[in-house]
Amino acid sequence: VVGCPAGTPPHECIYQITSHFQVKDMVQECDVRKQPTCWGNTTNYDGIHLIYAAGHCHAPSCLSMELYNADTGMLLCAHNPVYGKTHEVFDELGFVTIPPCLWGPEDEGLVPPTFLPFNGNLTSIKRNNNTNTHYGEMAMWQMRGVMVNQN
């Protein structure tokens, strides 16, 4: 991430990274008994129900991350860091948390999963503070889904 010109106020130093990919780019079809990251045989499925998404966002430069279904324009997940304000557990002063997006049963207070076809297009947008030059930024997501057949 290229740093802002000297003298630029920090609140104006925003660098945006955009990534475009398909759902199938996240799926590795192989033997689940031999590789823990495998999805198994996907040929009997049309896509996934997304159940977890967490942007790869490094504190303290991460300002926000958004994941969109590029085919519909629907915002699937938005990350905004939450800064601790007290000395209470999970709200510690000086610490930051970036809560993930979760989908599941409505009776558990969750949003129902969104179907994403394997050929569905996704767009990730990440905004970083670039007051200072730094390396290693990416607009990647850690996600989990359940394979489904819509037919």
Side-chain angles (χ1 to χ4, degrees):
V1 173
V2 178
C4 264
T8 304
H11 69 275
E12 293 180 14
C13 291
I14 299 173
Y15 187 87
Q16 182 172 302
I17 302 169
T18 302
S19 173
H20 304 284
F21 55 101
Q22 288 191 305
V23 173
K24 66 183 174 186
D25 296 334
M26 302 181 298
V27 177
Q28 182 180 7
E29 187 170 323
C30 50
D31 187 345
V32 295
R33 291 179 182 92
K34 296 179 181 177
Q35 176 56 263
T37 61
C38 290
W39 285 60
N41 183 346
T42 62
T43 56
N44 295 325
Y45 302 95
D46 301 325
I48 65 166
H49 273 159
L50 190 60
I51 59 170
Y52 170 91
H56 191 90
C57 223
H58 294 234
S61 66
C62 180
L63 299 175
S64 67
M65 278 190 80
E66 297 159 0
L67 179 67
Y68 290 91
N69 179 330
D71 297 324
T72 65
M74 178 183 178
L75 175 64
L76 298 171
C77 182
H79 275 324
N80 294 291
V82 177
Y83 296 90
K85 298 177 182 148
T86 70
H87 294 289
E88 298 296 318
V89 175
F90 302 119
D91 188 38
E92 293 91 349
L93 186 65
F95 287 87
V96 64
T97 185
I98 305 172
C101 295
L102 302 172
W103 295 264
E106 288 183 89
D107 61 355
E108 293 182 18
L110 299 171
V111 175
T114 299
F115 174 74
L116 297 172
F118 288 132
N119 66 349
N121 296 296
L122 302 173
T123 296
S124 174
I125 299 172
K126 181 178 184 181
R127 292 175 190 85
N128 285 77
N129 178 281
N130 66 328
T131 298
N132 301 300
T133 298
H134 55 278
Y135 303 95
E137 294 296 341
M138 63 223 57
M140 293 175 30
W141 289 80
Q142 299 167 354
M143 293 186 262
R144 302 294 182 268
V146 177
M147 290 191 292
V148 294
N149 189 342
Q150 287 290 94
N151 297 327

